[in-house]
């Protein structure tokens, strides 16, 4: 600030019984007109011990003389303002919230309560076991589909002239101009189904989708579709056995995609269906093993024009077939060899999304010139692959070279003799670019003599189909040995659910397995029929970690063997563009260290990737309210792997170039041969990537570890109460009572008859034994009943207050609300619903204000980090913070704590919502008073040369004379001050103290506190 300095004064310790005297001031000799307190104490404050309002008063004076300014506003006057405003505010929020009554009710039942310390390791192991059970059911469903598909193919005889009608997903329910159903478009019953994101589906049968470039009556297609009709019965049976299953499907190697339940497929705006199951990550990962790829691209002068365009598109298509367990590099050659990314010289990098996108950008910049000399490029590629193989780095599996050129004329045979013959451990795939066939024999010879595949790409349209051929070649050893490896994909977004505006529902992982031909006459050829898979919503997986067990700030998270986050409360995969939500770039390759960024030494990340079981503590800064506010906490991390699941069991590690490396299964664990290094010894070479990479026993991406986070202090304990079912049911059935809709009190997604029940309705049926088939979390139900009984008097209290408010009287508070650690929520309106300023508050539309699968409400979390009885204030925007409207509403909340055997746990939080305008009026009335008795006040906040602010405990302006300033961070507020005419008179951060007759000792807390 110009012309002086300001000092941020620390808050007094509310536990001290002696109040500090007003500080003395001295003049800083290094500046003029700057007053600094001699003692780092509060300048002026009110008179009781327990904090009631975490608000501060800031005055900016504009007087010309420090001495004059000091005399104009005595400290006693400022203290009086703070006491008056703080007392009025405290009386209002305690009266309308009923916080003292709620604290008393919990205090009354303390003798019957138990507070248990949470065993984090036991908790994470229990969650892990539940997840293993759920995931195993998904794998069993996929295995059933594999067996049915292979058996159906074994019994099917190919018929070149087969005529067969099937339900084409694009054509179903379509009619021609005469009103008749079009061919392959018969009537197909579709009904909206909540289990499938309210999409119209048919749960009795599947439908078949084909991309536009695949002929829907091709003999291969008709025979494949006819054969796969046998999967319909298995789809239905799987779904009946495990109603938590979502989409099940079979992707054929010929291009058709059978999906259950049946669904109507809509082409894009151009009438084209671009979706090709063979390009999807789950298909590619299941059809092949991990691989090391070096792409050689000819950039000589002969490649100019269309040829270079096709070559670039070919490279991009190859990159799209790679995944996190593959390693790659790209070398361009003409007269000399150069890496398109010099930083990757001589190494392979992990083919994660970041690196693939980086390569694509560099490929577009390639320029042609000179003469193409392929032998030196081949030598460089073989050297890289040899170095990685000998060092036991990279994928430790297949190795291949992709040669993209319009011809090869020089003597390249010596290179193969030196590096690849006779074992041919490295496959070489050749792509002849352009229509010329002069060099076709040379390119074909290179591929066929190195166990590869030759193809010619003449147009851009040919690229996709021709590139996919290499996957079938790499899959042959696996097919011949019938290695049904199970793969789990990275988290990805279901584009069909973007319209739901709920990011948690959109993140999925897929379990998939390859399907092989078992016919004796084709077994030696290694024919891949396709891949079957099923989606698993990560949201459903995380529901197995009950929110109430994790405490106010705790959470659970999952990560892959690559250190990427599968599920985490701070993983936000969407951004808003206008009214639409869109996936962020690289949303599914967010590293654990990017969200748990305080782990600078990466101890947590390394331990979880190595699939260890243990614990780890860390001081963290937790952002709240979309990053506007921060909590300082000490978190305890507990982690373990997902063991005894398909992620760990396997029959084959990989089959490079026709060789088979089996791993033996012992005691549920996989043991690799001595030639393979452990996951701890393998290493990624990747720009900006982390040093540790766990291969996973099946050589595929998989969910590795589960982590649970508990915060020190209140998060270490769980409160347990008990009450009778009869009493609890009576108080549970109240119209203004709600439960956390995302929490699992009772399992309602197994039995179709239960899916329409809310959690509250299911709980009532369970307690009344109306439905003996319902399964519920008995501990959580018991805690809900207990909280319902203890908080029931609040409804009567709030109702009595509302009845005593006459229409003519001042409408002070819009509503009161409370929430308990069991997810119970009560609220009561003091005004008509049409007069509520913020109608989104406490509704699912405002996730920050309600209990969700990931978090407790914001007002609950803030209150829990302050002593019980202290109210935390928060500004809210009437139409949401994204709008341009001014803040209209203030919430004030406080925690209710219970202490048993010297252990304290947060039982609930209670608060009110009021109009900001009411607080402003109260403040301006308070500042009209002065300490001079009957004498008129010499100066007040209404004077033009004095700016007054009320600031919350995070530095946001709550009250100001200018309507546009509330909600602005104080340090961001521009203060226009002339260095000669204005200066900072005083900076008073005043804390109003509670006018409470009972002086209680300070509540014990953990390290967590807010700033």
């Amino acid at each position: 600030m110009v012309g002086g300095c300001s000092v941020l004064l620390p808050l007094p310790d509310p536990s001290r019984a002696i109040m500090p005297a007003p500080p003395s001031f001295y003049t800083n000799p290094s500046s003029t007109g700057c007053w600094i307190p001699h003692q780092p104490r509060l300048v002026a404050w009110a008179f009781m011990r327990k904090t009631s309002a975490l608000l501060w008063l800031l005055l900016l004076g504009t007087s010309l003389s420090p001495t004059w300014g000091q005399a104009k506003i005595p400290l006693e006057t400022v203290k009086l303002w703070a006491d008056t405003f703080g007392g009025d505010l405290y009386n209002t929020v305690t009266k309308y919230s009923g916080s003292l009554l709620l604290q008393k009710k919990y205090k009354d039942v303390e003798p019957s309560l138990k507070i248990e310390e949470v065993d984090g390791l036991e908790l994470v192991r229990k969650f892990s076991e539940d997840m293993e059970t759920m995931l195993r059911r998904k794998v069993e469903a996929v295995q059933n589909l594999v067996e049915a598909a292979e058996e159906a193919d074994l019994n099917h005889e190919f018929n070149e002239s087969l005529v067969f009608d099937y339900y084409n997903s694009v054509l179903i329910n379509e009619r021609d101009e005469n009103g008749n159903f079009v061919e392959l478009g018969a009537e197909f019953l579709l009904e909206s189904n909540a289990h499938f994101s309210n999409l119209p589906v048919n749960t009795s049968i599947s439908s078949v989708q084909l991309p536009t470039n695949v002929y829907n009556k091709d003999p291969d297609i008709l025979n494949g579709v006819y054969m796969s009709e046998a999967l319909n019965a298995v789809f239905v049976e799987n779904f009946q056995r495990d109603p938590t299953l979502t989409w099940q499907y079979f992707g054929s190697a010929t291009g058709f995609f059978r999906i259950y339940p049946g669904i109507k497929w809509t082409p894009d705006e151009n009438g084209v269906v671009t979706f090709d199951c063979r390009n999807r990550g789950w298909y590619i990962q299941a059809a092949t093993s991990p691989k090391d790829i070096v792409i050689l691209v000819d950039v000589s002068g002969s490649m100019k024009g269309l040829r270079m365009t096709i070559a670039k598109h070919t490279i991009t298509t190859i990159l799209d077939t790679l995944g996190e367990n593959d390693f790659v590099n790209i070398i361009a050659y003409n007269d000399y060899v150069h890496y398109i990314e010099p930083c990757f010289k001589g190494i392979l990098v992990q083919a994660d999304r970041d690196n693939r996108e980086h390569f694509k950008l560099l490929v577009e910049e390639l320029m042609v010139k000179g003469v193409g000399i392929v032998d030196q490029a081949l030598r460089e590629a073989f050297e890289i692959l040899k170095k990685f193989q000998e060092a036991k780095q990279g994928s430790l599996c297949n190795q291949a070279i992709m040669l993209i050129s319009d011809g090869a004329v020089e003597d390249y045979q010596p290179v193969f003799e030196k590096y690849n013959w006779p074992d041919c451990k490295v496959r070489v795939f050749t792509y002849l670019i352009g229509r010329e066939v002069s060099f076709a024999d040379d390119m074909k010879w290179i591929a066929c003599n190195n166990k590869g595949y030759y193809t010619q790409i003449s147009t851009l349209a040919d690229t996709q189909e021709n590139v996919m051929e290499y996957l079938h070649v790499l899959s042959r050893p696996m097919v011949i040995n019938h290695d049904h490896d199970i793969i789990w994909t990275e988290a990805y977004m279901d584009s069909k659910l973007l319209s739901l505006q709920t990011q948690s529902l959109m993140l999925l992982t897929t379990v998939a397995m390859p399907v092989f031909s078992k016919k004796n006459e084709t077994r030696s050829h290694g024919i891949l029929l396709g891949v079957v898979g099923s989606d698993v919503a990560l949201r459903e997986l995380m529901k197995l970690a009950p929110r109430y067990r994790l405490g106010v700030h705790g959470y659970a998270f999952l990560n892959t063997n690559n250190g990427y986050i599968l599920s985490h409360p701070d993983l936000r995969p969407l951004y808003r563009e206008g009214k639409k939500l869109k996936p962020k770039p690289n949303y599914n390759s967010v590293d654990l260290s990017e969200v748990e960024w305080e782990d600078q030494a990466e101890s947590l990340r390394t331990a979880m990737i190595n699939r260890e079981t243990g614990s780890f503590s860390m001081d963290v800064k937790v952002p709240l309210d979309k990053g506007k506010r921060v909590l300082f906490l000490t978190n305890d991390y507990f982690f373990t792997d997902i063991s005894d699941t398909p992620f760990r069991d396997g029959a084959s590690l990989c089959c490079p170039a026709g060789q088979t490396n089996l791993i033996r299964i012992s005691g549920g664990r996989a043991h690799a041969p001595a030639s393979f290094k452990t996951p701890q010894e393998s290493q990624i070479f990747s720009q900006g990537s982390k040093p540790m990479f766990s291969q996973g026993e099946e050589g595929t991406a998989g969910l590795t570890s589960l982590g649970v986070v508990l915060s020190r202090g209140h998060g270490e304990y769980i409160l347990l109460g008990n009450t009778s079912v009869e009493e609890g049911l009576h108080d549970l059935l109240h119209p203004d009572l709600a439960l956390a809709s995302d929490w699992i009190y009772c399992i309602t997604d197994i039995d179709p008859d239960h899916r329409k029940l809310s959690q509250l309705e299911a709980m009532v049926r369970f307690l009344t034994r109306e439905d003996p088939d319902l399964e519920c979390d008995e501990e959580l139900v018991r805690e809900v009943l207990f909280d319902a009984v203890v908080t029931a008097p609040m409804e009567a209290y709030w109702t009595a207050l509302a009845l005593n408010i006459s229409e003519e009287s001042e409408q002070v508070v819009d509503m009161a609300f409370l929430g308990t650690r069991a997810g119970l929520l009560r609220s009561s309106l003091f005004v008509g619903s049409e007069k509520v300023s913020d109608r989104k508050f406490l509704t699912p539309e405002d996730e920050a204000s309600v209990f969700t699968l990931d978090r407790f409400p914001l007002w609950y979390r803030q209150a829990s980090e302050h002593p019980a009885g202290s109210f935390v204030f928060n500004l809210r925007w009437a139409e949401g913070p994204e709008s341009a409207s001014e803040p209209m509403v203030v919430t004030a909340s406080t925690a209710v704590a219970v202490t048993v055997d010297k252990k304290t746990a947060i039982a609930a939080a209670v608060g009110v919502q009021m109009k900001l305008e009411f607080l402003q009026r109260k403040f301006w009335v308070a500042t009209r008073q002065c300490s001079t008795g009957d004498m008129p006040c010499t100066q007040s906040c209404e004077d033009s040369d004095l700016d007054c602010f009320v600031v919350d405990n995070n530095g946001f302006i709550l009250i100001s004379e200018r309507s546009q300033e509330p909600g602005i961070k104080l340090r961001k507020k521009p203060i226009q001050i002339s260095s000669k005419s204005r200066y900072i008179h005083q900076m008073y951060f005043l804390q109003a103290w509670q006018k409470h007759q009972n002086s209680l000792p300070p509540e014990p807390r953990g390290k967590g506190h807010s700033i």
Side-chain angles (χ1 to χ4, degrees):
M1 299 180 182
V2 183
C5 65
S6 62
V7 179
L8 180 62
L9 303 177
L11 297 178
D13 184 350
S15 66
R16 296 184 182 181
I18 300 175
M19 294 166 47
S24 58
F25 285 78
Y26 67 92
T27 304
N28 185 351
S30 63
S31 64
T32 61
C34 177
W35 294 88
I36 302 178
H38 185 67
Q39 301 284 343
R41 296 179 180 173
L42 196 65
V43 176
W45 47 295
F47 38 79
M48 295 302 289
R49 298 182 59 230
K50 295 288 287 179
T51 57
S52 68
L54 295 179
L55 299 173
W56 291 267
L57 170 62
L58 171 64
L59 299 123
L60 299 180
T62 61
S63 305
L64 295 176
S65 165
T67 306
W68 180 87
Q70 178 73 13
K72 292 287 284 184
I73 311 179
L75 295 180
E76 292 78 8
T77 298
V78 180
K79 176 178 177 294
L80 176 64
W81 292 354
D83 289 347
T84 303
F85 178 60
D88 287 347
L89 190 56
Y90 174 75
N91 290 334
T92 299
V93 293
T94 52
K95 172 185 175 181
Y96 283 91
S97 69
S99 59
L100 300 181
L101 173 63
L102 187 60
Q103 181 68 68
K104 180 180 182 301
K105 291 301 178 182
Y106 274 101
K107 189 76 175 175
D108 291 343
V109 296
E110 273 188 4
S112 65
L113 298 178
K114 289 195 303 183
I115 296 181
E116 293 183 356
E117 188 168 354
V118 178
D119 186 333
L121 281 177
E122 180 183 348
L123 194 65
V124 75
R125 288 192 182 104
K126 175 63 168 60
F127 293 169
S128 176
E129 291 171 1
D130 292 343
M131 289 181 180
E132 290 160 14
T133 301
M134 177 181 178
L135 295 173
R136 195 175 292 113
R137 292 201 306 266
K138 313 303 180 188
V139 172
E140 290 172 356
V142 171
Q143 288 173 330
N144 293 338
L145 292 172
V146 170
E147 293 172 3
E150 291 183 347
E151 188 66 24
D153 176 70
L154 183 63
N155 297 326
H156 176 71
E157 292 293 334
F158 186 85
N159 183 356
E160 183 74 29
S161 58
L162 177 66
V163 177
F164 173 67
D165 288 335
Y166 58 91
Y167 290 111
N168 186 301
S169 292
V170 176
L171 301 176
I172 54 176
N173 297 331
E174 294 290 328
R175 296 177 184 269
D176 59 21
E177 60 276 7
N178 298 320
N180 301 317
F181 288 109
V182 300
E183 193 174 14
L184 302 181
E187 184 179 6
F188 194 78
L189 182 62
L190 296 171
E191 292 181 352
S192 178
N193 192 308
H195 185 66
F196 294 94
S197 307
N198 292 315
L199 292 172
V201 297
N202 188 323
T203 55
S204 61
I205 196 169
S206 63
S207 59
V208 176
Q209 177 269 341
L210 297 96
T212 300
N213 62 342
V214 175
Y215 179 45
N216 57 27
K217 285 195 173 183
D218 182 275
D220 288 333
I221 295 295
L222 288 176
N223 279 269
V225 171
Y226 180 80
M227 175 273 294
S228 63
E229 284 284 302
L231 297 180
N232 278 320
V234 185
F235 285 142
V236 175
E237 185 178 346
N238 280 342
F239 188 49
Q240 290 175 345
R241 185 183 298 112
D242 180 10
T244 65
L245 282 172
T246 55
W247 306 102
Q248 304 174 67
Y249 38 81
F250 169 63
S252 169
T254 58
F256 74 83
F257 179 63
R258 182 178 288 277
I259 182 171
Y260 173 87
I263 189 171
K264 172 73 173 177
W265 205 280
T266 305
D268 63 19
E269 60 274 11
N270 299 316
V272 176
V273 179
T274 58
F275 178 88
D276 190 330
C277 63
R278 296 168 296 178
N279 299 336
R280 309 299 289 181
W282 53 268
Y283 186 99
I284 294 169
Q285 291 182 48
T288 64
S289 299
K291 46 199 169 291
D292 300 334
I293 300 289
V294 178
I295 301 174
L296 304 179
V297 56
D298 184 353
V299 290
S300 63
S302 63
M303 289 286 290
K304 66 180 179 180
L306 180 60
R307 290 183 180 181
M308 195 64 226
T309 302
I310 295 174
K312 291 178 179 179
H313 187 50
T314 301
I315 296 173
T316 299
T317 305
I318 293 173
L319 289 173
D320 287 337
T321 66
L322 305 180
E324 294 176 355
N325 296 294
D326 302 318
F327 291 78
V328 67
N329 206 339
I330 303 177
I331 297 175
Y333 72 90
N334 41 31
D335 303 286
Y336 62 96
V337 170
H338 68 277
Y339 291 82
I340 69 170
E341 174 50 80
C343 294
F344 295 164
K345 183 177 181 179
I347 64 172
L348 297 173
V349 297
Q350 187 183 12
D352 59 19
R353 182 182 293 267
D354 291 337
N355 285 334
R356 295 198 306 266
E357 295 303 316
H358 182 63
F359 275 132
K360 289 178 183 180
L361 294 175
L362 296 174
V363 165
E364 290 302 316
E365 299 174 1
L366 290 176
M367 305 293 290
V368 298
K369 64 178 179 178
V371 179
I373 303 177
V374 72
D375 64 330
Q376 58 185 0
L378 286 169
R379 292 178 191 275
E380 186 71 17
F382 277 115
E383 284 290 344
I384 297 174
L385 296 173
K386 179 182 177 182
K387 181 175 70 174
F388 264 61
Q389 183 68 26
E390 291 175 350
K392 307 300 181 188
Q393 296 171 342
S395 70
L396 305 179
C397 199
N398 292 296
Q399 291 192 323
I401 295 173
M402 308 295 198
L403 178 59
I404 302 169
S405 175
D406 61 350
V409 293
E410 68 273 10
D411 188 10
Y412 36 75
Q413 184 170 334
V415 179
F416 300 125
E417 290 175 349
K418 177 179 179 180
Y419 290 99
N420 210 35
W421 293 350
D423 296 333
C424 292
K425 292 184 179 180
V426 178
R427 296 181 184 269
V428 182
F429 297 87
T430 58
Y431 300 90
L432 181 63
I433 304 299
R435 298 183 183 278
E436 294 292 330
V437 294
S438 304
F439 300 104
D441 290 342
D442 294 335
M443 297 288 280
K444 189 179 297 182
W445 184 92
I446 292 174
C448 294
N449 284 278
N450 291 278
K451 292 188 176 180
Y453 191 88
Y454 158 81
T455 185
Q456 184 173 6
I457 304 177
S458 304
T459 66
L460 290 172
D462 296 336
T463 306
Q464 184 71 52
E465 287 291 328
N466 287 312
V467 166
M468 297 299 294
E469 292 294 341
Y470 94 87
L471 294 175
H472 297 293
V473 176
L474 290 183
S475 69
R476 282 175 188 164
M478 183 175 62
V479 177
I480 293 172
N481 290 283
H482 276 241
D483 297 329
H484 289 93
D485 289 344
I486 301 163
I487 69 99
W488 292 83
T489 68
E490 63 206 23
Y492 67 94
M493 199 81 69
D494 186 343
S495 58
K496 290 184 176 61
L497 304 183
L498 283 173
S499 59
L500 294 183
Q501 309 289 298
T502 306
Q503 66 182 31
S504 305
L505 285 172
M506 294 178 232
L507 285 174
L508 308 170
T509 183
T510 293
V511 53
M513 290 178 67
V515 179
F516 311 131
S517 174
K518 296 169 62 176
K519 294 178 179 178
N520 291 331
E521 62 271 23
T522 59
R523 189 182 184 99
S524 60
H525 299 294
I527 296 178
L528 175 71
L529 299 176
V531 173
V532 296
S534 180
D535 293 342
V536 179
L538 293 174
R539 181 181 179 83
E540 297 303 315
L541 200 60
M542 295 311 295
K543 283 184 178 180
L544 298 176
R547 193 71 201 72
Y548 75 100
R549 288 295 240 165
L550 302 176
V552 179
H553 304 297
Y555 55 90
F557 63 95
L558 298 167
N559 65 276
T560 71
N561 58 324
N562 293 305
Y564 292 149
I565 291 296
L566 275 174
S567 179
H568 193 287
D570 291 330
L571 178 63
R572 301 179 183 92
L574 301 176
Y575 74 96
R576 186 175 295 278
E577 186 175 281
K579 295 184 178 180
K580 293 184 178 180
L581 289 174
K582 293 187 176 182
K584 295 178 182 177
N586 309 324
Y587 68 90
N588 59 353
S589 57
V590 178
D591 195 88
L592 178 62
S593 60
E594 296 180 58
V595 289
E596 300 291 349
W597 57 270
E598 290 94 344
D599 182 23
Q600 298 295 324
E602 297 186 359
S603 303
L604 173 65
R605 181 184 186 277
T606 301
M608 295 190 70
I609 286 180
N610 291 342
R611 312 183 84 168
E612 297 174 6
T613 297
S615 60
F616 177 79
S617 297
M618 190 162 56
D619 292 329
V620 298
K621 300 178 185 70
V622 180
L624 297 177
D625 198 12
K626 298 186 177 180
K628 299 189 189 82
R629 306 168 190 278
V630 179
L631 293 181
F632 287 83
L633 304 173
T634 297
N635 283 348
D636 290 323
Y637 294 79
F638 303 91
F639 47 86
T640 190
D641 68 338
I642 309 294
S643 59
D644 298 325
T645 68
F647 302 123
R648 300 190 64 92
D649 296 339
S652 172
L653 186 61
C654 76
C655 312
Q659 303 170 20
T660 302
N661 291 290
L662 297 179
I663 52 180
R664 117 186 110 77
I665 306 299
S666 174
R669 293 183 177 269
H671 301 273
S675 60
F676 290 90
K677 282 200 173 184
T678 62
Q680 292 89 332
E681 295 170 306
S682 62
Q683 181 157 355
I684 297 178
F685 287 86
S686 174
Q687 183 186 40
S689 65
K690 307 303 173 186
M692 297 303 298
F693 168 68
S694 172
Q695 169 69 26
E697 280 74 359
E698 296 181 5
T700 53
L703 179 149
T704 298
S705 294
L706 164 68
V708 164
V709 181
L710 302 175
S711 294
R712 293 274 178 90
H714 304 308
E716 298 174 300
Y717 304 109
I718 184 169
L719 175 65
L720 300 175
N722 206 349
T723 188
S724 67
V725 173
E726 292 76 14
E727 187 178 11
L729 264 176
H730 176 269
D731 293 324
L732 194 64
L733 299 175
H734 192 280
D736 290 330
L737 183 146
L739 298 180
S741 60
D742 290 341
W743 292 17
I744 297 183
Y745 298 86
C746 297
I747 300 174
T748 58
D749 56 356
I750 299 296
D751 190 330
D753 293 335
H754 297 157
R755 288 182 184 152
K756 295 182 179 180
L757 298 176
S758 68
Q759 287 294 320
L760 182 57
E761 291 170 338
M763 189 188 303
V764 171
R765 286 195 178 194
F766 172 76
L767 293 171
T768 58
R769 300 182 180 179
E770 181 181 344
D771 195 334
D773 295 331
L774 267 171
E775 295 181 29
C776 296
D777 185 330
E778 294 187 12
E779 180 180 297
L780 180 55
V781 170
R782 183 168 57 248
E783 299 313 311
V784 169
L785 289 179
F786 175 78
D787 287 345
V789 172
V790 177
T791 62
M794 299 298 292
E795 298 288 353
Y797 176 85
W798 289 333
T799 301
L801 272 181
L803 292 175
N804 289 330
I805 298 176
S806 64
E807 294 184 2
E808 294 78 17
S809 66
E810 183 180 29
Q811 294 179 340
V812 176
V813 174
D814 282 1
M815 71 168 69
F817 54 87
L818 68 84
T820 74
R821 85 279 186 225
L824 181 146
L825 191 66
R826 290 185 186 271
S827 63
S828 181
L829 294 180
F830 295 118
V831 296
S833 57
E834 72 283 354
K835 295 182 179 180
V836 175
S837 301
D838 187 0
R839 298 179 186 179
K840 293 182 181 179
F841 187 64
L842 300 184
T843 68
E845 194 174 354
D846 180 16
E847 288 190 352
S849 68
V850 296
F851 293 92
T852 68
L853 189 63
D854 296 326
R855 297 293 192 194
F856 274 57
L858 173 63
W859 47 268
Y860 196 119
R861 299 182 70 194
Q862 287 183 289
S864 68
E865 287 307 307
H866 293 85
S870 298
F871 280 85
V872 182
F873 289 76
N874 220 348
L875 272 175
R876 290 180 56 84
W877 280 254
E879 298 300 329
E882 293 83 6
S883 69
S885 63
E886 299 172 357
M888 297 286 292
V889 181
V890 176
T891 60
S893 58
T894 185
V896 176
V898 176
T899 301
V900 178
D901 297 331
K902 299 181 179 180
K903 292 181 287 189
T904 300
I906 297 296
V910 62
V912 295
Q913 184 176 102
M914 63 188 82
K915 292 179 175 63
L916 176 60
E917 185 263 342
F918 165 73
L919 264 69
Q920 292 171 333
R921 289 202 314 271
K922 284 286 185 182
F923 178 68
W924 301 127
V925 170
T927 58
R928 294 192 187 104
Q929 303 182 55
C930 57
S931 58
T932 57
D934 297 330
M935 298 293 293
C937 296
T938 57
Q939 193 169 16
S940 73
C941 287
E942 295 179 341
D943 294 344
S944 60
D945 60 348
L946 185 66
D947 290 340
C948 297
F949 304 94
V950 173
V951 183
D952 71 8
N953 64 318
N954 284 112
F956 287 97
I957 297 174
L958 190 67
I959 297 176
S960 170
E961 293 171 301
R962 287 171 285 278
S963 61
Q964 71 273 17
E965 288 181 346
I968 298 175
K969 194 79 170 179
L970 181 64
R971 60 182 172 83
K972 294 183 179 180
K973 178 191 179 298
I975 302 177
Q976 304 296 330
I977 302 177
S978 167
S979 59
K980 293 184 178 180
S981 63
R982 304 188 75 183
Y983 75 99
I984 302 300
H985 171 59
Q986 289 179 40
M987 194 176 242
Y988 292 126
F989 281 79
L990 302 170
Q991 187 170 19
W993 296 92
Q994 176 182 344
K995 296 179 179 179
H996 192 290
Q997 293 183 353
N998 298 322
S999 180
L1000 301 176
E1003 301 290 348
R1005 300 188 310 157
K1007 290 186 178 180
H1009 60 281
S1010 73
I1011 63 170

